[in-house]
Amino acid sequence: MGERLRPGGGPGARVELSGWGWQHSGRDTHALRGVDLTIEPGERVLLLGASGAGKSTLLHSLAGLTGPDSAISGDQEGALLVDGEPADRRRGLVGLVSQDPETQLVMARAGDDVAFGLENLGTEPGLIWPRVDGALAEVGFPYGRRHSTGALSGGEKQRLVIAGALAVRPRLLLLDEPTANLDPDGAALVRGVLQRLLAETEATLVLVEHRVADVVDLVDRVVVLEPGGGVIADGAPGAVFAEHGRSLAAQGVWIPGREPEPDVSPGAGGSPLLEAVGVAARTPVELGARSASPRTVLSGVDLPVAAGTATALTGPNGAGKSTLLMMLAGLGRPYRGEVLPRGPLAEADRRPLRRWPARRLARHVGTVFQHAEDQFVTPTVREELLFAPLRAGMERGAADAWVDELLERLRLTRLADVHPYTLSGGEKRRLSVATALSSGPAHAPDVLALDEPTFGQDTRTWTELVELLGVLRTEGRAVVMATHDELLLRHLTDTRVRVSDGGARAESGSRSGTDREEGGSA
């Protein structure tokens, strides 16, 4: 199992911000401004705020990633100190887990990636691999050190990044939605690891997490940020929620006991639009003499996707949810079997979806990728939303009006002229979903294939996304989602399909009451 994550690195770091603000390059407004905040060594702080409030920006700044010679460019005002010095001089004290694990993986093999930070800090060579093994075991990483990082699912990458942050025994631990990509069991395991680590060490914790109820026991203090402003609430969790809960919930902050209730009509139901028939999938071939052989992820999956329904793909990380979703969208090639069009889609083209021309596929199937950046093709948010409707032949005035509505509903209006790559994680996710909807209700794709569509949203934008998808389902579109969001499953799911052990099986409790098998296990 390797070495347990025992105390190391000294007491927790002290954080002090005085009149601090940050404005990203190319933006007209500040992400944060006038922040006065002191975090004492060993405190455990939960940062809250509406989507776009600057929570991730603050974490990146604490990690030393902003400033004149740092990775993120912009203008700073005021002071931000870690143990009395600018944060970019204290990077060796800090462990950061960002929203997108893809951006933090630097090595081709899992063990090397966890060891990377230890080696950079000059850790004694004899201690490095015991620490790597201990960190991988603590987070439940399911493979060995030599496993390719390129062959990991999103949730598996998240576990690996968390292991890398914990292995260096940081004095300041910064976590940005650390369990967002994890299945429920994996999320619980990581929370348990953090609980033990914090109990055994004096590390300071600053945590961003939308699902507050899951992490409130980890923290002793809540700090609420105002978009473009400073701190609007600060104190013990119970006191903050009691005094400010109603107003914070109205601003979109996730407050325990105040979950959103979207207005979603039942699905219309209908005949299949596409169907997976005997589909099997294998992991990609890895290069190198020591690379692992391809393994079967899915086998013998039979799954119809019907008009006017919402189908949710659930299951553990690495089971093949995203793989199956991409094959259903015509963007992945099965190892065996095919995804075939049915009904109106078969009238458009009877060939398997993977063989459709790109323009035809995009017209009938809208896709939201696990990594939002993979689908952005234009230099501004507005142009990104105009791309699909104009290409589909919508008149310019109608396209502008629909895009304006989407921008307003998803709270992207103030960001209409900025580059999509500069958005926060939650803003990128909203934009990626909006691009799939941007052709308008009358021209929307027949099928929407969405990978974690509600990631990183506050309650207002979460509600808007769910209601928009609900309207399209009511109008006869098919919605297929890979998700761990239990609230989304509760409000917008007709059939829940569990992907695990190489197969896919419909579970009881779906809104439509079905309990049929959708495929076999390997």
Side-chain angles (χ1 to χ4, degrees), residues 86-100:
D88 58 359
R89 300 180 189 173
R90 289 290 191 176
R91 292 173 186 165
L93 307 177
V94 180
L96 170 68
V97 175
S98 66
Q99 276 187 347
D100 184 0

Side-chain angles (χ1 to χ4, degrees), residues 126-286:
L127 296 178
I128 289 178
W129 292 111
R131 284 202 191 180
V132 169
D133 291 337
L136 290 174
E138 288 278 4
V139 302
F141 187 72
Y143 312 111
R145 297 178 191 167
R146 292 178 175 174
H147 194 81
S148 169
T149 55
L152 299 176
S153 71
E156 290 167 343
K157 290 176 182 176
Q158 191 81 330
R159 292 192 193 204
L160 186 62
V161 169
I162 293 170
L166 297 182
V168 300
R169 284 106 179 256
R171 292 174 53 202
L172 175 59
L173 182 58
L174 308 171
L175 304 177
D176 197 349
E177 302 272 7
T179 62
N181 291 313
L182 300 183
D183 59 70
D185 289 342
L189 185 149
V190 167
R191 289 194 295 270
V193 171
L194 293 174
Q195 191 77 268
R196 292 195 302 273
L197 179 72
L198 295 169
E200 293 171 357
T201 73
E202 299 176 2
T204 304
L205 172 70
V206 184
L207 169 67
V208 173
E209 179 62 66
H210 278 87
R211 302 308 162 87
V212 177
D214 292 337
V215 299
V216 71
D217 291 339
L218 284 175
V219 302
D220 49 36
R221 182 178 173 191
V222 170
V223 172
V224 185
L225 301 176
E226 181 177 26
V231 175
I232 57 175
D234 184 357
V240 169
F241 298 149
E243 182 177 353
H244 303 283
R246 184 184 297 274
S247 62
L248 293 176
Q251 296 174 45
V253 178
W254 289 91
I255 301 296
R258 297 180 181 271
E259 293 180 338
E261 291 288 340
D263 182 10
V264 179
S265 300
S271 57
L273 290 173
L274 57 84
E275 184 174 7
V277 180
V279 162
R282 304 187 80 188
T283 56
V285 175
E286 299 177 22

